[in-house]
Amino acid sequence: MKNINYIICLTVFIMSMAGCKKFLTVQPATQLTEEEAFASEVGFRQALNGIYAQAASRDLYGDNLTMGFVSALEQDYLLTAAGATHRDAKLFNYTAATVMTTLNTIWTSGYNLIAGANKIISFTESKRSVLTDAGYATCRGEALGMRALMHFDLLRLFGPEYSAGQNKKAIPYVTRVTPLPVPASTTSAVADSILKDLKDAAALLITADPILTNSRSRRSMMNYYAVKALEARVRLYIGDKPGARMAALEVTTSTRFPFVTSAAASAAAATRDRLYLPELVLMFRVRDIATWADNGTSTYFRFFTTINDRFTTNQANFNSLYETTSGGATDLRYLYRVELDGGFPFPSKYWQTSSVTAANTLDTNRLNQLVPVLRLSEMHYILAETAGSVSEGIGHLNTVRQVRGLPALSTSGTDSYLEAETLKEYRKDLYAEGQLFYYYKRKNAMRMQFMTANVPSLDVYTLPIPLAELEYNPTYK
């Protein structure tokens, strides 16, 4: 049986960041090798495992698109020391070599993942005979969902803000294996393609996904509810509030994702659930996360020691974030996910001391090595934003607040009151997950949390497409 790294080589495009290479150029494998790789349902599953491994890499959701680069963009960390990782990103210095390198990495790795998904999608048709009906539905559905997820995050990062830029060129939506450049689509066309992929994925997964019969082992894969949660996120981004509401409700009413208990969130260090595992609709396993997010002597760990060059902020900012002087001192997120190391506060969301026991031998029961991608709480925040009244919207915020140890907010007030309180809850629950940047972009926010001045311009929300792609793809000219 081929190992996962070998499968990745077969199913993912190899791209180079050198200027003479083409970002969307296929490096073809032999037909015989591909036939062997997809000769059985096990081969398809291994290929999908390769896609998930790439998604979990530091290039993508294992770092840059979650706790790292994008969280720096949204001003989550101080990073005041010269040479601090992603300091240029925090300062919106997009011409800096460090930022350009990171953007190249995200673009290249993102389209690598898309290429792998396209390969799987293609072979689910040409090798349909080796797949069971359930295998066809899950393999194809997951690949379509992953293609949509990756395109959406590339769109949110590199494309213009939707309401003003829906008719502007954004990114290529790649759906086939081709050595030729794929024309850049408009923002609205990319969104339409994403929603089509999600619709097709949901139609397949609803017929066979074990998560529908209460199997929780599927949460580290693109499961049916992850597809619906992503749909809710996409529809809110494009302003389709009724559609976003309908998709979010399907997740929140499924009973598959209970809120973390206060006992689990406040447990002793070795067993504390800092990620709120039961609430994760989609997560990726990052098996070597300790090499850069854990304590130790490695130069890669970022959540410990001094506050000026690591991924953390000062106590005053944490106090402000969790509103400790106005009722937030009882917030479980503040009490048990802002911890001290050498006297310095750090966000301990990604730091777990879980040991393997009979209760957590399965990957999906382990508290370490996980990065959240889609959360139950975000679905309630989407429901708050799409509610028909202020009272209803605040009710959804209170659903989350009360399980976090906070008193309920008053349900009377203005639309501005609801919007302000919704933003506060986004900030608290999704801190260091890379989602706030896209909220600010969607709202055309002039100031982000912890900033003392406005952003230089709203252009900071649209990251520059890598030069190699601009040089290679004539549709940008």
Side-chain angles (χ1 to χ4, degrees), residues 99-387:
V99 174
M100 294 176 68
T101 297
T102 302
L103 293 177
N104 284 342
T105 297
I106 293 170
W107 183 274
T108 301
S109 297
Y111 277 107
N112 272 339
L113 188 152
I114 290 166
N118 285 337
K119 184 70 73 173
I120 294 169
I121 293 165
S122 174
F123 272 95
T124 57
E125 294 300 329
S126 63
K127 301 290 286 185
R128 176 67 179 84
S129 62
V130 308
L131 295 169
T132 62
D133 289 345
Y136 172 82
T138 54
C139 290
R140 187 175 178 86
E142 287 177 50
L144 285 166
M146 289 299 292
R147 183 170 78 181
L149 173 70
M150 194 70 256
H151 275 111
F152 184 52
D153 281 336
L154 291 172
L155 174 66
R156 291 197 293 176
L157 197 59
F158 294 100
E161 185 273 323
Y162 189 86
S163 62
Q166 58 186 297
N167 295 320
K168 296 179 181 179
K169 289 180 181 178
I171 64 169
Y173 202 91
V174 184
T175 60
R176 63 189 187 278
V177 178
T178 174
L180 302 175
V182 176
S185 297
T186 64
T187 305
S188 62
V190 173
D192 288 345
S193 295
I194 291 168
L195 290 171
K196 180 183 184 304
D197 274 352
L198 292 176
K199 179 181 178 181
D200 292 345
L204 289 162
L205 291 169
I206 200 171
T207 68
D209 194 337
I211 202 168
L212 293 159
T213 55
N214 214 23
S215 171
R216 294 176 60 77
S217 64
R218 294 271 301 164
R219 294 182 302 142
S220 58
M221 306 169 195
M222 181 58 74
N223 63 77
Y224 174 77
Y225 291 112
V227 167
K228 300 308 292 185
L230 179 57
E231 180 189 346
R233 185 183 277 178
V234 174
R235 290 194 181 279
L236 185 64
Y237 193 76
I238 68 174
D240 176 11
K241 289 189 174 183
R245 177 178 176 79
M246 185 178 300
L249 277 172
E250 190 161 357
V251 179
T252 60
T253 60
S254 70
T255 71
R256 298 294 184 269
F257 311 99
F259 283 107
V260 69
T261 65
S262 59
S266 62
T271 56
R272 184 178 306 162
D273 183 353
R274 297 173 177 85
L275 285 172
Y276 303 165
L277 180 62
E279 305 175 18
L280 298 187
V281 183
L282 178 65
M283 56 192 177
F284 293 137
R285 178 158 295 284
V286 187
R287 297 186 182 277
D288 58 346
I289 193 171
T291 61
W292 68 88
D294 207 345
N295 200 358
T297 59
S298 168
T299 58
Y300 294 105
F301 72 86
R302 284 95 57 81
F303 293 101
F304 295 82
T305 65
T306 64
I307 63 176
N308 294 322
D309 60 352
R310 300 298 184 222
F311 286 5
T312 187
T313 190
N314 57 37
Q315 190 64 54
N317 281 344
F318 280 126
N319 292 346
S320 174
L321 173 63
Y322 293 105
E323 302 181 283
T324 58
T325 61
S326 54
T330 58
D331 194 323
L332 295 174
R333 295 164 294 193
Y334 175 76
L335 291 173
Y336 301 106
R337 296 205 304 195
V338 178
E339 301 185 55
L340 296 177
D341 182 74
F344 296 105
F346 71 95
S348 63
K349 180 181 290 187
Y350 298 102
W351 178 69
Q352 300 287 349
T353 53
S354 172
S355 58
V356 178
T357 67
N360 63 21
T361 51
L362 292 176
D363 280 352
T364 49
N365 294 330
R366 295 283 299 273
L367 291 176
N368 58 352
Q369 303 178 347
L370 293 174
V371 170
V373 181
L374 290 159
R375 284 188 175 276
L376 175 67
S377 57
E378 184 185 354
M379 297 302 103
H380 282 283
Y381 301 151
I382 289 173
L383 290 173
E385 287 199 67
T386 59

Side-chain angles (χ1 to χ4, degrees), residues 1 19 21-22 44 67 85 176 232 269 281 311 321 366 378 392 401 432 459 471:
M1 191 61 62
K21 297 293 184 181
K22 315 306 183 194
F44 276 88
M67 67 185 77
T85 303
R176 63 189 187 278
V281 183
F311 286 5
L321 173 63
R366 295 283 299 273
E378 184 185 354
E392 179 190 343
R401 284 176 60 88
D459 291 341
E471 293 171 356

Side-chain angles (χ1 to χ4, degrees), residues 15-17 21-25 104 107-108 466 468-469 472:
M15 302 179 185
S16 170
M17 290 192 289
K21 297 293 184 181
K22 315 306 183 194
F23 273 120
L24 302 180
T25 299
N104 284 342
W107 183 274
T108 301
E469 173 65 13
Y472 169 60

Side-chain angles (χ1 to χ4, degrees), residues 456-471:
S457 89
L458 293 178
D459 291 341
V460 302
Y461 293 116
T462 302
L463 281 292
I465 290 171
L467 292 176
E469 173 65 13
L470 296 177
E471 293 171 356

Side-chain angles (χ1 to χ4, degrees), residues 39 91 184 411:
L91 297 175
T411 56

